[in-house]
């Protein structure tokens, strides 16, 4: 009944907690990385490369192993990425 972690993913018997334990934590990591990038002058092409190669590639394993995140979480991710793609 206790949550446990394997390969950076936290599992629990309650599926409702999986989003909070995994996806919300990853969203915070994305916010931190974007904050670091905002201090640099990166071209639009560079921003796209960072999003595709760094942000999303690190989360591919998470998306392929866990149940689909909520529509609200996906919307939050999209807003975060689009609002910071200067």
């Amino acid at each position: 009944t206790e949550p446990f972690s394997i390969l950076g993913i936290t599992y629990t018997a309650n599926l409702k907690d999986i989003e909070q334990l995994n996806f919300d934590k990853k969203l915070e990591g994305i916010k931190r990385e974007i904050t670091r990038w905002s201090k640099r002058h990166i071209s639009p092409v560079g921003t796209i490369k960072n999003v595709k190669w760094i942000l999303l590639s690190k989360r591919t394993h998470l998306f392929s192993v866990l149940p689909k995140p909520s529509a609200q979480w996906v919307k939050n991710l999209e807003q975060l990425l689009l609002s910071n793609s200067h």
Side-chain angles (χ1 to χ4, degrees), residues 19-81:
E19 184 168 321
Q20 179 186 3
L21 292 171
N22 293 286
F23 293 115
D24 291 348
K25 188 168 81 172
K26 298 299 180 185
L27 195 60
E28 290 302 317
I30 290 171
K31 287 178 186 178
R32 282 193 304 274
E33 288 187 51
I34 288 175
T35 301
R36 277 186 271 160
W37 296 346
S38 67
K39 296 175 184 174
R40 299 177 181 171
H41 298 288
I42 301 175
S43 70
V45 173
T47 300
I48 292 169
K49 287 181 181 181
N50 283 338
V51 167
K52 287 173 64 177
W53 293 345
I54 297 171
L55 289 182
L56 297 180
S57 66
K58 287 181 181 180
R59 279 66 181 190
T60 302
H61 176 66
L62 182 73
F63 296 133
S64 65
V65 173
L66 295 177
K68 188 170 101 173
S70 68
Q72 182 61 45
W73 189 90
V74 173
K75 186 176 180 177
N76 290 343
L77 176 63
E78 288 174 348
Q79 289 176 345
L80 181 64
L81 295 176

Side-chain angles (χ1 to χ4, degrees), residues 1-6 9-22 66-67:
T1 59
E2 293 288 320
F4 63 95
S5 295
I6 298 175
I9 297 177
T10 304
Y11 296 92
T12 181
N14 187 354
L15 290 177
K16 293 179 183 180
D17 293 338
I18 286 184
E19 184 168 321
Q20 179 186 3
L21 292 171
N22 293 286
L66 295 177

